Amino acid sequence: MMKTLGIIIFLSLFAVLSLGNINRNELNEIALVYAVGIDMESDNYAVSLQVINPQPPISQTDKMPVIVYEAKAKSIGKAIEMVSKKISRQLSPAQVQLIVIGEELAETKGINNVLNYILREPGLSSILDILITKDISAYDVLKVVSFMEDIPGNEIVKALRNTEENWGSHQRVYPTQVKADILSRGKEAIIPTISLYGKEHLAEEKALLESTAPKSYLEFSGLTLLNEDKKVGWLNDNQSRAYYLIKDRLKHSYFSSYCPNDDNKEEFGLTIIHSKTAIHGKITKGKPKFTIKVEVTGDLDELNCDLDISKPAGIKKVEDLMEKQIEEGLKDLLVQSQAMNADFIGFGDVLRIDEKDSWKEIEDSWQSEIYATSTFAIETKVIVRNLGDLNIAN
């Protein structure tokens, strides 16, 4: 019995050690891809891969943590195959977390083929962050050196998550979501945008990390608007916040407004801790009309105005000014949306629910004709919960 038990233990240990050796050997033969960039150059797809550069486990090294490879071909898959011929390891897409699409590709050819490739490729996860560039190529984005994280792509992903949770001007989107929005007749797709502050040749140099005040870095820059699968416009950061507010997807954010009767344009600010938006639509004689009700609750973060907020009248004035500011921001967003005939907010989806029968009659002409004739009634309500050191609630 003891002899049999000993044999079993020996075989088990041998199996574990053998498997461990196999895994170790496999890792030495695999090139982990963290981010993929896709551009358009002369009718070819220019695909760039941010590949993790293996580092010694103990000793320090001057090697860059990633290497960016690029190849051009008529198809995305062919370009990736060409990249694989440049390196000594087998490419592994299982770790890909980020897809960056070049602005020129989004404007000219559209992103539908990119989405199809991502969703069909079995080695890629469907839960990937997607970004579109502005005034820079996807290839150059992947080459930018990161400051807070070893892997540049990881810094982009974490920064996007942080922005989504705390500021609200950019939120993550995934391939399945974008594809569904493109196919929908009641809504257009919208994708966060990334751009470069500073000069490209500085952003990719390791010497950049030696400065405490970097002269070049990546930053999120509004939202890219799509009509079907092509870029038709762009929203700045303020319009982006208004977009997420009207979509009832704003988690936390910061809104500011000018003080009344102040030639110096001083401001006061509100940290948003809760918001709620409801949209209802109605079609009368073929004309859609929407009622948008927005309620925002926040803490007074900064007050540079000559207002006495120790009294209810002063608090009410702050709330009224912020309500007007938010309403103007929403109107600006709606004007831009209608000017492009791009219902990226999703009013068509509202009619599909509220006016099901009437929606079927206008569905085919919604984006091209009907949406631009829609009218809107906006109701905003701001509640100031805390007033800083005074700690007076309304």
Side-chain angles (χ1 to χ4, degrees):
M1 181 68 181
M2 291 296 295
K3 185 177 179 180
T4 303
L5 181 61
I7 293 173
I8 294 174
I9 292 174
F10 173 78
L11 292 174
S12 299
L13 288 172
F14 178 78
V16 169
L17 292 173
S18 298
L19 287 173
N21 188 52
I22 291 172
N23 290 335
R24 192 160 53 248
N25 290 336
E26 286 179 348
L27 286 175
N28 289 333
E29 297 173 358
I30 290 177
L32 299 178
V33 182
Y34 193 91
V36 178
I38 306 175
D39 293 296
M40 200 73 198
E41 290 187 17
S42 302
D43 296 329
N44 286 324
Y45 287 103
V47 179
S48 46
L49 305 181
Q50 190 178 91
V51 181
I52 297 176
N53 191 12
Q55 304 292 316
I58 300 177
S59 60
Q60 293 184 345
T61 176
D62 290 332
K63 290 169 55 177
M64 296 293 286
V66 298
I67 303 173
V68 180
Y69 295 93
E70 184 191 36
K72 303 177 182 66
K74 288 294 184 181
S75 65
I76 298 172
K78 181 64 176 179
I80 292 177
E81 179 188 349
M82 293 173 66
V83 170
S84 69
K85 297 177 181 179
K86 300 180 180 182
I87 60 179
S88 60
R89 301 186 177 205
Q90 180 182 350
L91 291 174
S92 173
Q95 298 298 318
V96 172
Q97 301 292 312
L98 176 68
I99 304 290
V100 182
I101 301 173
E103 180 180 20
E104 183 179 350
L105 171 60
E107 286 179 337
T108 56
K109 192 175 185 66
I111 68 169
N112 202 42
N113 288 344
V114 176
L115 294 173
N116 289 340
Y117 178 82
I118 295 171
L119 295 173
R120 290 170 180 165
E121 172 55 46
L124 289 174
S125 168
S126 60
I127 306 178
L128 299 172
D129 286 300
I130 296 182
L131 297 172
I132 290 181
T133 67
K134 187 176 188 297
D135 302 326
I136 186 175
S137 69
Y139 176 52
D140 287 328
V141 165
L142 296 192
K143 292 192 297 180
V144 174
V145 175
S146 60
F147 298 94
M148 303 295 290
E149 304 292 334
D150 291 335
I151 302 172
N154 191 34
E155 182 161 291
I156 295 173
V157 172
K158 285 190 173 182
L160 184 57
R161 292 172 182 169
N162 176 59
T163 304
E164 179 180 45
E165 291 293 329
N166 298 300
W167 297 107
S169 56
H170 303 83
Q171 294 187 16
R172 305 167 72 190
V173 295
Y174 305 120
T176 51
Q177 176 187 345
V178 177
K179 184 69 175 180
D181 289 343
I182 289 174
L183 294 175
S184 172
R185 291 185 176 180
K187 185 182 183 299
E188 297 287 5
I190 194 164
I191 299 176
T193 309
I194 193 167
S195 62
L196 179 73
Y197 173 85
K199 297 182 178 179
E200 293 175 18
H201 73 277
L202 294 175
E204 60 187 75
E205 295 178 0
K206 192 173 183 180
L208 187 70
L209 300 177
E210 298 174 0
S211 173
T212 57
K215 297 180 180 179
S216 189
Y217 52 84
L218 293 170
E219 61 182 0
F220 297 116
S221 179
L223 300 172
T224 294
L225 311 178
L226 303 181
N227 190 337
E228 295 184 350
D229 72 324
K230 291 185 177 181
K231 176 182 177 180
V232 292
W234 174 79
L235 301 179
N236 61 35
D237 286 349
N238 288 333
Q239 292 169 328
S240 300
R241 268 194 301 269
Y243 166 77
Y244 288 118
L245 178 62
I246 202 171
K247 291 291 293 179
D248 199 26
R249 290 170 53 191
L250 195 67
K251 297 180 180 179
H252 299 284
S253 190
Y254 182 87
F255 284 84
S256 61
S257 178
Y258 291 117
C259 299
N261 305 319
D262 189 344
D263 295 334
N264 295 323
K265 295 294 185 180
E266 293 286 353
E267 294 184 347
F268 66 92
L270 205 65
T271 298
I272 307 303
I273 58 174
H274 178 73
S275 65
K276 182 176 179 59
T277 301
I279 303 177
H280 295 286
K282 188 175 182 180
I283 300 178
T284 304
K285 297 181 180 179
K287 300 292 184 180
K289 180 176 181 179
F290 298 91
T291 301
I292 304 168
K293 295 184 178 181
V294 177
E295 183 175 301
V296 170
T297 303
D299 296 335
L300 190 62
D301 184 70
E302 183 176 5
L303 181 66
N304 300 317
C305 310
D306 186 18
L307 290 172
D308 185 3
I309 57 174
S310 65
K311 298 178 181 179
I315 301 172
K316 183 66 166 61
K317 185 65 175 178
V318 169
E319 292 174 339
D320 290 344
L321 289 169
M322 187 59 72
E323 288 172 358
K324 182 179 179 181
Q325 185 72 19
I326 290 175
E327 186 171 324
E328 289 178 353
L330 294 176
K331 287 180 178 178
D332 176 57
L333 182 70
L334 295 171
V335 167
Q336 183 161 348
S337 175
Q338 286 188 300
M340 295 185 297
N341 277 336
D343 179 18
F344 52 83
I345 297 169
F347 290 106
D349 283 342
V350 174
L351 291 179
R352 182 171 53 82
I353 297 172
D354 291 356
E355 293 278 351
K356 185 176 181 179
D357 293 335
S358 298
W359 168 248
K360 293 179 181 179
E361 298 176 4
I362 65 172
E363 181 179 0
D364 292 338
S365 57
W366 173 247
Q367 295 285 359
S368 59
E369 301 176 19
I370 306 299
Y371 175 58
T373 67
S374 301
T375 57
F376 306 92
I378 303 174
E379 302 176 18
T380 59
K381 181 176 179 60
V382 172
I383 301 171
V384 177
R385 190 188 65 170
N386 291 315
L387 305 172
D389 292 339
L390 292 177
N391 197 29
I392 299 175
N394 188 16

